[in-house]
Amino acid sequence: MTTRQERYRSLLDLASTLRGGRISPIWSSGRVAFEADGVVHIVDGATGERTRASRLPQSDVPQGRHLRSAFKIGRPPVSEVPEPRGRYFATEVGDDLALRWSIDDRISPLTDDGTPDHRWEVKGSKWSPDGLQLLTRRVDTREMERFPVVHWLKPNEEVEFFPAGRVGGAVESTSLHIVRRISRRVVAIDSGPEPEQDLRPLGWSPDGREAYFIKTNRFKKPFTLMAADPESGATRVVYEQHVNTWVSYWEKGMGCTLLPSGSGHIWLAERDGWAHLHLHDMDGAARAQITSGDYAVTRLVAIDEPAGWVYFEAHSDRSRPYDTHVCRARLDGSGGFEQLTTEPGTHRAQFSPDASLFVDTHASMDRVPASDLRRADGTTVARLDEADPAVLDVWTAPEEFTVLADDGETVLHGQLYLPADFDRTSTYPVIESIYAGPNSAFVPTMIDDDNAIVSHALAQLGFAVVMVDGRGTPERSKEFHDWAYGNFADTVIPDHVAALRGLAAERPYLDLSRVGVYGRSYGGYYTARALLEAPETYHVGVAVNGVYEMREGNGPGPIECVMGPLEDNIEGYDRLDLHAMVDRLQGKLLIVHGTSDVNVPFSASLQFTEALVRAGKPFDFLPVNEQPHHFTGEHGVYLGMAKGRYFTEHLGVDAL
């Protein structure tokens, strides 16, 4: 018979054992191909007939090679950019741009003046329709501070220095250029005089006479669609997207898509209080609101302009506001919308180039990942792949619940994870898994979500584990999200305390005299804040890779777009500072930080521990060598076991 410790350890590995179901499709001549368990499958898009092959077929859409991971964890990797016919690829060689020819992998330089602090970057670059001009970025970090990452385990310690962006300090600035393939002539784009611009290539007109890009600034407002003359670099403003408060730019900020015909563009914007799609022409005039209603669109995924359809993902099921479905609506805004998927959970669509087919990859909290081939109207052609459902034998799906926020009116949604041997007549210490950052929703909708797996594993040690999204988090209405604007200090912990109390009011087996909390990044911050702000509710915390004085973290983007300029909101930033609250610490706190974290430098935890030392407050500290913002491998397992030990020891559970 397995012990709780053995079950906990094995459940932490659940993500590595839950394989299959999620595929990377290649579209080839009306077929979809993918690799699963080392076998290449090719499925006919019309009939669903499946064959096997020795290798993947040539894709209808040229695929560039993976070049590097993003500098910061959580950002997409950087890959080569194919020209429209796939004859060559824009690639990077050191800090410069080059061509890699498809026929023989020969490298031809495009630029030769890049430096580490002023580098050319292929990420997001766009080829002109004839493949002769490249709209690309240059990234300037010369004015930024530097922070050290010390590699302590080398025979002789080594130090690397990385550019550091801090609230109120210098941040990276980008410039846009047109690079000619043959002559290597470089034309600088005149994007205006504003400092510290964030510029993103968007595409070209079909005739190649204009290149389009998005311009914003360090505060992520406004967002401006601009058109550039590739010969002179002169520009014009097509449309400026204003916001009164702020935009969660990871999800919606860069949400502008060009129509393939070049006749217009679509914005994903929150103009009526919800995130919806809006059609404009290329002079900026509004033509139609494509979607509307009390639900949020999260991503535009395909446009079938000849047939008049726009395909998108949305939280379209009002009864389950965090589920994501694949939908479609008429480009002209007529006729409402159609939800093409039905199973609860999260659906992600990958469309064929002609938008006649899509791969729907989906999962929920009680259903393993699977990928289905569907026609554009949502009808199923074939099941492509599915994870082994045997994992459900060791999985207990969480209870979904709703509670009221601290205002007594706003409905919050969450999940409660209980032990497999749950006994309603017993009582269980409570652990809250928290993130609460204003940039993303946290409560899982898929069984293979890492946070869901950790919560499930902790519950098997004899805890009740709670996850909830409070006011100020995205993916619901703009009003719900705007609670964070200018002040994401005051409402967060009260909402989470209200959620715990509301949950326990109807569940006497939840023991609120023994409450733990843990989280990473923003969750690390809010773990510490929970213990300091509400010591009567939270008693034990494990804070991982947190920044405890928001002005000191690396990367002001996700903070300044919420809080605004430092000089305009000093009081708001002061209210976020946990250093000034350390004298309130009463409970047990374990601070964990990876020494190689570049999202939140190791110094953030060192500064916080120094404040605790000066206040005479006991705490525990676990530095983890060579680990970035997300721990991996044996270090990740060690963190999981350390977290389990800390909670069982201090919350009175005899499990480890």
Side-chain angles (χ1 to χ4, degrees):
M1 184 176 181
T2 59
T3 65
R4 278 181 167 177
Q5 178 177 357
E6 290 169 335
R7 289 202 300 273
Y8 178 60
R9 175 65 177 81
S10 65
L11 286 167
L12 288 178
D13 291 335
L14 188 63
S16 63
T17 60
L18 204 164
R19 297 188 181 124
R22 299 189 180 279
I23 67 169
S24 298
I26 290 177
W27 302 100
S28 179
S29 303
R31 306 168 299 166
V32 61
F34 62 96
E35 187 174 353
D37 293 327
V39 177
V40 173
H41 302 261
I42 300 177
V43 179
D44 185 275
T47 66
E49 181 181 353
R50 181 188 301 254
T51 57
R52 293 189 175 189
S54 58
R55 61 181 181 177
L56 290 167
Q58 184 172 351
S59 173
D60 293 338
V61 179
Q63 305 292 312
R65 293 175 180 172
H66 172 82
L67 290 176
R68 55 184 169 86
S69 298
F71 172 61
K72 290 189 175 183
I73 297 291
R75 310 289 172 83
V78 178
S79 298
E80 297 174 327
V81 178
E83 69 91 25
R85 285 178 283 177
R87 296 169 296 174
Y88 41 80
F89 299 83
T91 190
E92 294 177 355
V93 176
D95 300 306
D96 280 294
L97 298 176
L99 292 181
R100 180 180 66 81
W101 293 83
S102 300
I103 193 169
D104 58 3
D105 286 338
R106 176 168 46 93
I107 298 294
S108 302
L110 285 175
T111 66
D112 58 9
D113 58 347
T115 66
D117 295 337
H118 196 198
R119 68 187 187 278
W120 292 93
E121 188 173 78
V122 77
K123 181 176 70 174
S125 298
K126 304 293 183 182
W127 284 104
S128 59
D130 60 9
L132 296 179
Q133 302 178 89
L134 183 69
L135 175 63
T136 191
R137 301 199 321 161
R138 197 169 186 183
V139 180
D140 188 350
T141 60
R142 289 173 292 183
E143 299 300 318
M144 296 175 68
E145 300 175 29
R146 296 296 187 266
F147 74 89
V149 169
V150 181
H151 300 289
W152 299 99
L153 302 184
K154 298 278 189 177
N156 294 301
E157 296 89 340
E158 295 180 4
V159 183
E160 286 186 279
F161 288 91
F162 295 92
R166 304 188 192 280
V167 169
V171 297
E172 74 175 27
S173 181
T174 56
S175 56
L176 280 184
H177 307 263
I178 303 291
V179 180
R180 300 276 197 273
R181 179 181 72 80
I182 297 175
S183 68
R184 295 175 56 191
R185 175 188 171 212
V186 176
V187 177
I189 300 298
D190 180 10
S191 58
E194 302 91 350
E196 301 170 325
Q197 294 181 0
D198 184 355
L199 307 174
R200 307 293 174 96
L202 196 62
W204 292 75
S205 61
D207 59 10
R209 293 183 178 179
E210 284 193 316
Y212 301 105
F213 63 96
I214 294 290
K215 177 175 76 172
T216 188
N217 54 38
R218 65 186 295 158
F219 306 110
K220 309 308 176 192
K221 66 177 185 181
F223 292 91
T224 306
L225 172 61
M226 301 189 73
D229 180 342
E231 289 294 328
S232 67
T235 56
R236 66 181 180 92
V237 172
V238 178
Y239 183 79
E240 192 165 78
Q241 175 72 32
H242 288 278
V243 287
N244 293 327
T245 54
W246 71 302
V247 173
S248 179
Y249 67 97
W250 267 301
E251 286 82 18
K252 296 178 280 291
M254 300 297 178
C256 182
T257 304
L258 302 175
L259 294 183
S261 66
S263 62
H265 62 279
I266 297 172
W267 280 96
L268 176 55
E270 296 176 305
R271 300 176 192 172
D272 61 359
W274 295 86
H276 282 298
L277 300 173
H278 302 260
L279 176 65
H280 294 252
D281 65 24
M282 293 313 293
D283 290 321
R287 293 305 182 202
Q289 181 165 341
I290 298 170
T291 63
S292 61
D294 55 349
Y295 68 94
V297 174
T298 58
R299 188 169 74 101
L300 190 157
V301 292
I303 300 172
D304 185 350
E305 200 171 357
W309 288 109
V310 176
Y311 296 88
F312 56 94
E313 294 165 356
H315 298 309
S316 52
D317 184 344
R318 276 76 158 185
S319 65
R320 300 179 57 84
Y322 290 100
D323 284 2
T324 304
H325 288 280
V326 184
C327 307
R328 70 177 181 178
R330 285 293 180 184
L331 180 61
D332 62 7
S334 63
F337 78 98
E338 299 177 33
Q339 182 176 298
L340 304 179
T341 55
T342 58
E343 301 92 337
T346 294
H347 295 257
R348 293 284 184 262
Q350 299 176 80
F351 270 77
S352 61
D354 65 358
S356 64
L357 298 164
F358 68 96
V359 172
D360 169 29
T361 298
H362 53 94
S364 70
M365 297 308 296
D366 58 6
R367 193 179 72 255
V368 296
S371 291
D372 295 327
L373 179 62
R374 297 180 184 269
R375 301 180 184 89
D377 62 4
T379 56
T380 301
V381 177
R383 169 64 52 91
L384 300 178
D385 194 41
E386 183 178 18
D388 186 352
V391 72
L392 298 174
D393 296 340
V394 295
W395 175 264
T396 304
E399 174 191 344
E400 297 177 343
F401 64 81
T402 59
V403 290
L404 295 180
D406 184 56
D407 63 359
E409 298 178 358
T410 306
V411 175
L412 307 180
H413 292 254
Q415 292 173 354
L416 174 63
Y417 295 76
L418 296 169
D421 57 357
F422 171 67
D423 180 359
R424 190 172 292 274
T425 64
S426 299
T427 59
Y428 296 87
V430 177
I431 296 175
E432 181 176 1
S433 171
I434 194 170
Y435 181 72
N439 56 289
S440 63
F442 183 58
V443 175
T445 57
M446 301 176 290
I447 191 174
D448 53 344
D449 183 283
D450 287 342
N451 297 305
I453 290 170
V454 172
S455 294
H456 177 269
L458 270 177
Q460 308 319 307
L461 293 177
F463 299 108
V465 182
V466 176
M467 303 177 76
V468 67
D469 282 313
R471 290 175 295 170
T473 54
E475 303 198 36
R476 288 178 60 177
S477 69
K478 182 166 178 57
E479 180 184 16
F480 189 90
H481 200 188
D482 276 353
W483 277 99
Y485 183 70
N487 180 4
F488 59 91
D490 290 350
T491 62
V492 173
I493 298 304
D495 269 5
H496 286 257
V497 169
L500 290 177
R501 291 175 178 171
L503 196 62
E506 299 178 356
R507 296 166 180 82
Y509 49 83
L510 300 181
D511 182 0
L512 293 193
S513 70
R514 296 182 292 165
V515 177
V517 57
Y518 78 92
R520 179 185 56 80
S521 194
Y522 267 121
Y525 169 84
Y526 279 114
T527 290
R529 189 174 187 100
L531 266 67
L532 299 176
E533 184 176 332
E536 73 288 347
T537 300
Y538 296 97
H539 312 109
V540 183
V542 178
V544 182
N545 288 359
V547 55
Y548 307 101
E549 216 295 19
M550 289 292 176
R551 284 167 281 217
E552 297 301 323
N554 179 32
I559 299 169
E560 288 184 335
C561 68
V562 188
M563 299 296 294
L566 175 61
E567 62 271 20
D568 295 343
N569 191 15
I570 292 176
E571 181 182 355
Y573 282 99
D574 285 346
R575 296 179 73 82
L576 290 171
D577 182 9
L578 297 189
H579 293 185
M581 300 170 62
V582 292
D583 60 320
R584 303 184 192 181
L585 181 63
Q586 299 177 25
K588 298 289 186 179
L589 175 60
L590 171 61
I591 299 168
V592 184
H593 213 116
T595 63
S596 296
D597 191 350
V598 296
N599 289 53
V600 178
F602 185 55
S603 59
S605 283
L606 293 180
Q607 292 166 2
F608 188 50
T609 59
E610 179 67 11
L612 290 165
V613 168
R614 295 188 178 197
K617 293 295 182 178
F619 63 93
D620 296 290
F621 184 41
L622 174 61
V624 185
N625 277 305
E626 299 294 339
Q627 287 302 291
H629 205 51
H630 293 254
F631 293 3
T632 58
E634 59 188 358
H635 294 89
V637 172
Y638 187 86
L639 171 62
M641 298 304 292
K643 182 164 48 185
R645 284 192 298 270
Y646 204 75
F647 284 131
T648 55
E649 177 182 352
H650 295 298
L651 291 177
V653 172
D654 184 16
L656 293 179

